[in-house]
mmCIF file of all heavy atoms in Angstrom:
data_model
loop_
_atom_site.group_PDB
_atom_site.id
_atom_site.type_symbol
_atom_site.label_atom_id
_atom_site.label_comp_id
_atom_site.label_asym_id
_atom_site.label_seq_id
_atom_site.Cartn_x
_atom_site.Cartn_y
_atom_site.Cartn_z
ATOM 1 N N ILE Q 1 19.592 13.183 34.277
ATOM 2 C CA ILE Q 1 19.674 13.440 35.693
ATOM 3 C C ILE Q 1 18.694 12.718 36.515
ATOM 4 O O ILE Q 1 18.908 12.389 37.681
ATOM 5 C CB ILE Q 1 19.372 14.986 35.939
ATOM 6 C CG1 ILE Q 1 20.535 15.759 35.156
ATOM 7 C CG2 ILE Q 1 19.369 15.431 37.323
ATOM 8 C CD1 ILE Q 1 20.287 17.282 35.028
ATOM 9 N N SER Q 2 17.589 12.335 35.942
ATOM 10 C CA SER Q 2 16.519 11.721 36.774
ATOM 11 C C SER Q 2 16.872 10.479 37.542
ATOM 12 O O SER Q 2 16.363 10.129 38.618
ATOM 13 C CB SER Q 2 15.294 11.489 35.934
ATOM 14 O OG SER Q 2 15.611 10.577 34.866
ATOM 15 N N ALA Q 3 17.915 9.847 37.026
ATOM 16 C CA ALA Q 3 18.405 8.604 37.768
ATOM 17 C C ALA Q 3 18.910 8.872 39.159
ATOM 18 O O ALA Q 3 19.025 8.057 39.930
ATOM 19 C CB ALA Q 3 19.434 7.905 36.940
ATOM 20 N N PHE Q 4 19.380 10.200 39.365
ATOM 21 C CA PHE Q 4 19.965 10.605 40.604
ATOM 22 C C PHE Q 4 19.039 11.342 41.516
ATOM 23 O O PHE Q 4 19.525 11.965 42.427
ATOM 24 C CB PHE Q 4 21.225 11.440 40.284
ATOM 25 C CG PHE Q 4 22.112 10.655 39.381
ATOM 26 C CD1 PHE Q 4 22.403 11.097 38.120
ATOM 27 C CD2 PHE Q 4 22.912 9.592 39.792
ATOM 28 C CE1 PHE Q 4 23.174 10.424 37.205
ATOM 29 C CE2 PHE Q 4 23.724 8.894 39.038
ATOM 30 C CZ PHE Q 4 23.934 9.290 37.676
ATOM 31 N N LEU Q 5 17.801 11.390 41.251
ATOM 32 C CA LEU Q 5 16.853 12.142 42.072
ATOM 33 C C LEU Q 5 16.344 11.312 43.259
ATOM 34 O O LEU Q 5 16.297 10.096 43.088
ATOM 35 C CB LEU Q 5 15.685 12.683 41.182
ATOM 36 C CG LEU Q 5 15.916 13.465 39.939
ATOM 37 C CD1 LEU Q 5 14.657 13.844 39.346
ATOM 38 C CD2 LEU Q 5 16.726 14.697 40.353
ATOM 39 N N PRO Q 6 15.916 11.998 44.405
ATOM 40 C CA PRO Q 6 15.305 11.218 45.338
ATOM 41 C C PRO Q 6 14.021 10.644 44.824
ATOM 42 O O PRO Q 6 13.455 11.135 43.876
ATOM 43 C CB PRO Q 6 15.041 12.204 46.428
ATOM 44 C CG PRO Q 6 15.595 13.461 46.023
ATOM 45 C CD PRO Q 6 15.983 13.388 44.586
ATOM 46 N N PRO Q 7 13.534 9.454 45.363
ATOM 47 C CA PRO Q 7 12.274 8.936 44.933
ATOM 48 C C PRO Q 7 11.127 9.910 44.922
ATOM 49 O O PRO Q 7 10.938 10.708 45.794
ATOM 50 C CB PRO Q 7 11.967 7.840 45.984
ATOM 51 C CG PRO Q 7 13.269 7.512 46.590
ATOM 52 C CD PRO Q 7 14.077 8.788 46.547
ATOM 53 N N CYS Q 8 10.418 10.046 43.804
ATOM 54 C CA CYS Q 8 9.256 11.022 43.574
ATOM 55 C C CYS Q 8 7.992 10.298 43.614
ATOM 56 O O CYS Q 8 7.731 9.417 42.933
ATOM 57 C CB CYS Q 8 9.453 11.692 42.268
ATOM 58 S SG CYS Q 8 8.189 12.891 41.928
ATOM 59 N N HIS Q 9 7.041 10.770 44.632
ATOM 60 C CA HIS Q 9 5.839 10.204 44.800
ATOM 61 C C HIS Q 9 4.850 11.093 44.087
ATOM 62 O O HIS Q 9 4.280 12.079 44.697
ATOM 63 C CB HIS Q 9 5.433 10.047 46.220
ATOM 64 C CG HIS Q 9 6.494 9.216 47.021
ATOM 65 N ND1 HIS Q 9 6.402 7.855 47.006
ATOM 66 C CD2 HIS Q 9 7.622 9.567 47.660
ATOM 67 C CE1 HIS Q 9 7.498 7.436 47.642
ATOM 68 N NE2 HIS Q 9 8.244 8.447 48.083
ATOM 69 N N GLU Q 10 4.697 10.851 42.774
ATOM 70 C CA GLU Q 10 3.939 11.847 41.877
ATOM 71 C C GLU Q 10 2.372 12.017 42.350
ATOM 72 O O GLU Q 10 1.848 12.944 42.069
ATOM 73 C CB GLU Q 10 3.929 11.333 40.425
ATOM 74 C CG GLU Q 10 5.313 11.442 39.859
ATOM 75 C CD GLU Q 10 5.286 11.212 38.311
ATOM 76 O OE1 GLU Q 10 4.501 11.878 37.638
ATOM 77 O OE2 GLU Q 10 6.090 10.419 37.816
ATOM 78 N N ASP Q 11 1.852 10.918 42.928
ATOM 79 C CA ASP Q 11 0.471 10.973 43.262
ATOM 80 C C ASP Q 11 0.177 11.587 44.652
ATOM 81 O O ASP Q 11 -0.837 11.472 45.193
ATOM 82 C CB ASP Q 11 -0.107 9.496 43.145
ATOM 83 C CG ASP Q 11 0.716 8.470 43.916
ATOM 84 O OD1 ASP Q 11 1.746 9.003 44.499
ATOM 85 O OD2 ASP Q 11 0.404 7.318 43.936
ATOM 86 N N ALA Q 12 1.224 12.144 45.233
ATOM 87 C CA ALA Q 12 1.082 12.707 46.631
ATOM 88 C C ALA Q 12 0.021 13.774 46.639
ATOM 89 O O ALA Q 12 -0.244 14.524 45.643
ATOM 90 C CB ALA Q 12 2.453 13.335 46.972
ATOM 91 N N ASP Q 13 -0.671 13.826 47.890
ATOM 92 C CA ASP Q 13 -1.599 14.904 48.040
ATOM 93 C C ASP Q 13 -1.121 16.197 48.555
ATOM 94 O O ASP Q 13 -1.783 17.238 48.544
ATOM 95 C CB ASP Q 13 -2.782 14.444 48.943
ATOM 96 C CG ASP Q 13 -3.488 13.169 48.441
ATOM 97 O OD1 ASP Q 13 -3.620 13.047 47.217
ATOM 98 O OD2 ASP Q 13 -3.805 12.301 49.262
ATOM 99 N N ARG Q 14 0.088 16.150 49.143
ATOM 100 C CA ARG Q 14 0.629 17.329 49.823
ATOM 101 C C ARG Q 14 2.124 17.379 49.262
ATOM 102 O O ARG Q 14 2.729 16.426 49.171
ATOM 103 C CB ARG Q 14 0.672 17.193 51.377
ATOM 104 C CG ARG Q 14 -0.718 16.973 51.868
ATOM 105 C CD ARG Q 14 -0.662 16.604 53.441
ATOM 106 N NE ARG Q 14 0.457 15.674 53.774
ATOM 107 C CZ ARG Q 14 0.922 15.490 54.967
ATOM 108 N NH1 ARG Q 14 0.549 16.297 55.964
ATOM 109 N NH2 ARG Q 14 1.794 14.600 55.275
ATOM 110 N N PRO Q 15 2.629 18.679 49.192
ATOM 111 C CA PRO Q 15 4.000 18.842 48.752
ATOM 112 C C PRO Q 15 4.971 18.054 49.591
ATOM 113 O O PRO Q 15 5.925 17.477 48.982
ATOM 114 C CB PRO Q 15 4.342 20.394 48.829
ATOM 115 C CG PRO Q 15 2.916 20.939 48.796
ATOM 116 C CD PRO Q 15 1.975 19.989 49.360
ATOM 117 N N GLU Q 16 4.789 17.965 50.936
ATOM 118 C CA GLU Q 16 5.854 17.349 51.762
ATOM 119 C C GLU Q 16 5.826 15.817 51.459
ATOM 120 O O GLU Q 16 6.742 15.142 51.921
ATOM 121 C CB GLU Q 16 5.541 17.604 53.228
ATOM 122 C CG GLU Q 16 4.086 17.297 53.760
ATOM 123 C CD GLU Q 16 3.148 18.493 53.659
ATOM 124 O OE1 GLU Q 16 3.254 19.217 52.733
ATOM 125 O OE2 GLU Q 16 2.476 18.710 54.659
ATOM 126 N N ASP Q 17 4.898 15.237 50.712
ATOM 127 C CA ASP Q 17 4.856 13.795 50.409
ATOM 128 C C ASP Q 17 5.490 13.554 49.082
ATOM 129 O O ASP Q 17 5.606 12.340 48.759
ATOM 130 C CB ASP Q 17 3.478 13.205 50.593
ATOM 131 C CG ASP Q 17 2.894 13.206 52.021
ATOM 132 O OD1 ASP Q 17 3.795 13.205 52.919
ATOM 133 O OD2 ASP Q 17 1.748 13.434 52.190
ATOM 134 N N VAL Q 18 5.749 14.466 48.270
ATOM 135 C CA VAL Q 18 6.309 14.311 46.982
ATOM 136 C C VAL Q 18 7.789 13.742 47.054
ATOM 137 O O VAL Q 18 8.123 12.686 46.480
ATOM 138 C CB VAL Q 18 6.451 15.673 46.029
ATOM 139 C CG1 VAL Q 18 7.029 15.272 44.762
ATOM 140 C CG2 VAL Q 18 4.921 16.124 45.904
ATOM 141 N N TYR Q 19 8.606 14.454 47.887
ATOM 142 C CA TYR Q 19 10.017 13.806 48.198
ATOM 143 C C TYR Q 19 9.897 13.607 49.743
ATOM 144 O O TYR Q 19 9.987 14.585 50.520
ATOM 145 C CB TYR Q 19 11.087 14.769 47.829
ATOM 146 C CG TYR Q 19 11.113 15.060 46.273
ATOM 147 C CD1 TYR Q 19 10.703 16.151 45.754
ATOM 148 C CD2 TYR Q 19 11.514 14.011 45.432
ATOM 149 C CE1 TYR Q 19 10.646 16.328 44.343
ATOM 150 C CE2 TYR Q 19 11.503 14.133 44.093
ATOM 151 C CZ TYR Q 19 11.055 15.272 43.557
ATOM 152 O OH TYR Q 19 10.996 15.450 42.128
ATOM 153 N N LYS Q 20 9.664 12.380 50.132
ATOM 154 C CA LYS Q 20 9.409 12.186 51.534
ATOM 155 C C LYS Q 20 10.728 12.462 52.293
ATOM 156 O O LYS Q 20 11.792 12.081 51.942
ATOM 157 C CB LYS Q 20 8.894 10.727 51.736
ATOM 158 C CG LYS Q 20 7.505 10.500 51.230
ATOM 159 C CD LYS Q 20 6.855 9.296 51.732
ATOM 160 C CE LYS Q 20 5.365 9.353 51.402
ATOM 161 N NZ LYS Q 20 4.930 8.006 50.988
ATOM 162 N N PHE Q 21 10.550 12.962 53.511
ATOM 163 C CA PHE Q 21 11.644 13.234 54.429
ATOM 164 C C PHE Q 21 12.473 11.976 54.674
ATOM 165 O O PHE Q 21 13.680 12.012 54.647
ATOM 166 C CB PHE Q 21 11.222 13.960 55.744
ATOM 167 C CG PHE Q 21 12.248 14.447 56.558
ATOM 168 C CD1 PHE Q 21 12.962 15.633 56.201
ATOM 169 C CD2 PHE Q 21 12.695 13.776 57.695
ATOM 170 C CE1 PHE Q 21 13.962 16.158 57.015
ATOM 171 C CE2 PHE Q 21 13.812 14.292 58.452
ATOM 172 C CZ PHE Q 21 14.416 15.479 58.068
ATOM 173 N N GLU Q 22 11.737 10.833 54.909
ATOM 174 C CA GLU Q 22 12.422 9.609 55.228
ATOM 175 C C GLU Q 22 13.269 9.115 54.180
ATOM 176 O O GLU Q 22 14.161 8.283 54.200
ATOM 177 C CB GLU Q 22 11.497 8.510 55.551
ATOM 178 C CG GLU Q 22 10.405 8.771 56.668
ATOM 179 C CD GLU Q 22 9.292 9.648 56.144
ATOM 180 O OE1 GLU Q 22 8.451 9.172 55.490
ATOM 181 O OE2 GLU Q 22 9.327 10.929 56.372
ATOM 182 N N ASP Q 23 12.987 9.579 52.785
ATOM 183 C CA ASP Q 23 13.882 9.133 51.686
ATOM 184 C C ASP Q 23 15.123 9.993 51.673
ATOM 185 O O ASP Q 23 16.121 9.594 50.925
ATOM 186 C CB ASP Q 23 13.129 9.382 50.386
ATOM 187 C CG ASP Q 23 11.951 8.445 50.159
ATOM 188 O OD1 ASP Q 23 12.024 7.279 50.770
ATOM 189 O OD2 ASP Q 23 10.904 8.754 49.593
ATOM 190 N N ILE Q 24 15.148 11.078 52.419
ATOM 191 C CA ILE Q 24 16.322 11.836 52.464
ATOM 192 C C ILE Q 24 17.174 11.479 53.709
ATOM 193 O O ILE Q 24 18.440 11.258 53.525
ATOM 194 C CB ILE Q 24 16.036 13.411 52.598
ATOM 195 C CG1 ILE Q 24 15.160 13.827 51.290
ATOM 196 C CG2 ILE Q 24 17.272 14.261 52.582
ATOM 197 C CD1 ILE Q 24 14.562 15.149 51.404
#
């Protein structure tokens, strides 16, 4: 499934930066 996920920013400091709004 992971191939189909939005880009994940694992090193983000805040939850809102893990899956960035601009990537959606």
Side-chain angles (χ1 to χ4, degrees):
I1 294 168
S2 59
F4 303 108
L5 303 181
C8 178
H9 304 275
E10 292 191 50
D11 50 359
D13 297 329
R14 307 177 305 165
E16 53 268 42
D17 295 331
V18 177
Y19 298 107
K20 290 194 168 142
F21 190 75
E22 307 77 76
D23 290 332
I24 303 168

